[in-house]
Amino acid sequence: MFGRKTDPQAIADHKAAKRALHDNQRQEERAGIREATGIYRELNARVLETEKCVPWYRR
């Protein structure tokens, strides 16, 4: 369907980054933290960086 091949490692990295972000979010919510922390911003930046290598239909 689409001509380019997607690197499986890029997909795995992106999924791991999203999983870490969501795990951190759940932990912070349980702790009562409602604002964006430094850790959240770092994890979110990692997700944004890794998604550059993954096409939209693979995210």
Side-chain angles (χ1 to χ4, degrees):
M1 181 169 161
F2 296 97
R4 274 191 258 162
K5 297 288 182 192
T6 304
D7 180 19
Q9 187 60 45
I11 294 171
D13 291 345
H14 182 63
K15 285 185 178 183
K18 283 185 6 183
R19 187 171 29 257
L21 177 66
H22 293 305
D23 290 345
N24 179 66
Q25 181 181 9
R26 282 190 286 278
Q27 180 183 7
E28 288 181 353
E29 285 177 352
R30 276 185 298 226
I33 301 170
R34 299 288 180 227
E35 62 278 342
T37 62
I39 295 170
Y40 174 83
R41 288 187 182 106
E42 289 173 17
L43 293 171
N44 194 44
R46 178 72 179 142
V47 170
L48 294 175
E49 186 64 33
T50 59
E51 82 178 10
K52 292 178 183 178
C53 301
V54 179
W56 62 269
Y57 57 88
R58 297 269 186 190
R59 293 182 201 151

